[in-house]
Amino acid sequence: MPATDHYFSSAPQSEPDPVEISVEVRGKTFLLQSDRGVFSRERIDTGSMVLARTFDVSAAQTVLDLGCGYGFLGILAAVLAPQSQVTLVDVNPRAADLARTNCQRYQLANTEVLTGDALEVLGDRRFDTILCNPPYRVGKVQVMALLEDAGKRLTPGGTLWIVGRTKQGIKTLARDMSPCFADTRTAEVKSGYRVIRFSAAS
């Protein structure tokens, strides 16, 4: 990957080289297409796996996979909660195209994929559940802005689920973000990662 080509790039410069990833989670097996210029090209990253095994979408009618990459979390949510409408969004057009391809592979009629900056393409839309493995490399200020916006998009009683490395400050981030939410709690600690669940006021 070129030095300037990050998974959060809006225009990856690397030449496409598609691969397929097989992943089993919650009794489901998925075969997902990935490529250069997207986050965790060759396998589902550990943080996303910990989050995938933890989040709850059982009561959600609207779900957002924020920074969806090639669509793993959103696809899992759509399968676990077929009654819900799942929106996947990513600023990286290559990632968004892969997410569309992967949703189509599983004929998930309850999904939609949007390309672009979430603050712009989502407008004033709100969600019962938001899933996010934040792009920590962009810096804490930008991550906090992303999560603050996500919090404003929650419906009453809605939940925002994020994951991060314990050693890289996820506990501090959770503490700093907690004033934006009615409740903040650690939902899982595993493999050096923490899943934090933020809840909006009912």
Side-chain angles (χ1 to χ4, degrees):
M1 183 181 298
T4 58
D5 194 4
H6 303 288
Y7 62 87
F8 45 84
S9 296
S10 58
Q13 300 301 310
S14 53
E15 288 296 320
D17 183 20
V19 297
E20 287 195 330
I21 297 172
S22 179
V23 57
E24 184 174 347
V25 61
R26 295 196 182 193
K28 314 287 185 182
T29 300
F30 300 98
L31 189 63
L32 304 173
Q33 188 172 110
S34 180
D35 206 339
R36 289 175 176 168
V38 302
F39 176 56
S40 202
R41 170 182 181 261
E42 297 182 352
R43 63 178 180 84
I44 302 299
D45 65 290
T46 303
S48 292
M49 284 299 297
V50 174
L51 179 55
R53 295 185 178 115
T54 306
F55 71 74
D56 180 15
V57 290
S58 59
Q61 294 299 313
T62 52
V63 178
L64 173 65
D65 181 355
L66 180 58
C68 65
Y70 42 85
F72 170 57
L73 293 173
I75 288 169
L76 177 60
V79 171
L80 293 176
Q83 83 287 351
S84 68
Q85 176 64 36
V86 180
T87 299
L88 302 87
V89 62
D90 204 291
V91 70
N92 181 332
R94 187 175 296 174
D97 286 345
L98 289 166
R100 289 188 190 93
T101 296
N102 290 326
C103 286
Q104 291 167 2
R105 167 175 280 179
Y106 292 99
Q107 300 180 326
L108 296 173
N110 62 332
T111 62
E112 63 171 342
V113 181
L114 304 178
T115 306
D117 183 270
L119 278 67
E120 298 176 2
V121 300
L122 292 174
D124 59 358
R125 295 172 62 177
R126 304 181 75 188
F127 302 89
D128 300 322
T129 302
I130 299 177
L131 310 172
C132 185
N133 184 352
Y136 293 102
R137 293 182 188 177
V138 302
K140 184 178 179 180
V141 172
Q142 289 177 269
V143 168
M144 289 183 66
L146 180 73
L147 299 182
E148 184 176 355
D149 179 74
K152 294 175 181 177
R153 296 186 183 281
L154 291 175
T155 57
T159 53
L160 165 63
W161 301 78
I162 72 168
V163 65
R165 289 181 184 269
T166 301
K167 289 184 177 180
Q168 292 183 342
I170 184 68
K171 290 194 292 184
T172 301
L173 177 64
R175 181 198 66 202
D176 292 347
M177 291 303 306
S178 62
C180 300
F181 301 89
D183 182 67
T184 301
R185 63 184 61 191
T186 299
E188 179 64 284
V189 180
K190 190 170 185 179
S191 302
Y193 288 81
R194 288 176 179 262
V195 174
I196 307 296
R197 187 189 73 183
F198 300 103
S199 300
S202 300

